[in-house]
Amino acid sequence: MMAGAAEDLRELFGAAVRAALDAWPALQIAVENGFGGVHSQEKAEWLGGAMEDYFIANDDLELEEVEDFLGELMTTEFDTVVEDGSLPQVSQQLQTIFHHFQNGDVAALLELTADIDEKKFPVTAAPGQTARDTDVDEDEVDSVEEMEVTATNDGAMMDGICPQPQPPEPDSQTIKEEDIVEDGWTIVRRKK
């Protein structure tokens, strides 16, 4: 293959890898919500290059190896553990892209990239509703209320109300003033 054609094929491979990652909802959500910090978008772009380099450096990768590498990058770079079942799918898609790259199948790479772009579903995070967004006064949100329950931990019925927790009563382990000596040390005594 000529040098120019090889470079074009490599660029096409990189574009297909980035298209697959850009269409991945788990990565989209991580970037949109800033799971990777203030540079989440840059990390997502770097991730495409890292995956591309990973495939180039390793000709005969197994699906599990691709999954593990991609999962590890998502965990370390975006603090995200992907448990929605999409990790094996994206890994398989990346392997298919690499297979077409290895075979020099430009038409298949172009078709796959166009197909991925066509099926890409934009993911947007719904803004969470906070107490400030509702009609509830902040004083009401900050106040502690009793909660209705039907039974206590030991199964005995109460009057439908769970009382506020009481501070623990001091026990024999409480430090007494005479246990603190002048130099700041505390005498620890055994239980009797």
Side-chain angles (χ1 to χ4, degrees):
M1 206 180 317
M2 296 174 57
E7 287 178 19
D8 291 343
L9 186 62
R10 172 77 189 252
E11 286 180 30
L12 189 56
F13 170 63
V17 167
R18 284 172 183 76
L21 293 175
D22 288 346
W24 187 21
L27 181 60
Q28 289 178 14
I29 290 168
V31 170
E32 186 170 311
N33 290 299
F35 293 171
V38 294
H39 301 290
S40 290
Q41 184 61 47
E42 290 85 0
K43 285 183 178 184
E45 292 167 10
W46 170 84
L47 181 65
M51 290 305 299
E52 181 182 346
D53 292 342
Y54 182 65
F55 276 105
I56 298 297
N58 303 287
D59 286 343
D60 57 345
L61 290 171
E62 296 292 324
L63 181 61
E64 293 80 24
E65 293 173 308
V66 177
E67 267 182 68
D68 290 345
F69 184 70
L70 185 56
E72 187 175 319
L73 288 177
M74 287 295 290
T75 301
T76 57
E77 298 300 325
F78 294 98
D79 268 345
T80 302
V81 176
V82 181
E83 295 180 335
D84 64 351
S86 66
L87 190 57
Q89 295 169 346
V90 172
S91 299
Q92 179 63 54
Q93 194 173 41
L94 292 171
Q95 265 197 318
T96 302
I97 291 168
F98 185 62
H99 175 72
H100 292 309
F101 167 73
Q102 283 180 315
N103 293 334
D105 195 348
V106 175
L109 279 172
L110 288 170
E111 182 181 332
L112 194 55
T113 305
D115 189 44
I116 291 169
D117 287 337
E118 181 180 305
K119 291 180 181 178
K120 183 177 177 181
F121 182 74
V123 176
T124 56
Q129 193 175 35
T130 63
R132 296 188 199 304
D133 298 337
T134 63
D135 293 335
V136 178
D137 291 338
E138 284 184 41
D139 295 335
E140 291 177 21
V141 172
D142 293 336
S143 70
V144 178
E145 299 177 10
E146 292 183 347
M147 183 172 70
E148 290 187 28
V149 293
T150 58
T152 61
N153 287 342
D154 62 1
M157 292 296 291
M158 293 184 56
D159 295 329
I161 303 292
C162 181
Q164 291 293 327
Q166 300 299 321
E169 294 184 23
D171 60 0
S172 61
Q173 293 285 43
T174 307
I175 298 173
K176 298 176 182 148
E177 283 186 37
E178 65 266 9
D179 290 343
I180 301 175
V181 290
E182 292 178 26
D183 59 356
W185 288 88
T186 302
I187 299 172
V188 178
R189 303 184 189 278
R190 287 188 193 197
K191 288 186 179 181
K192 293 183 180 179

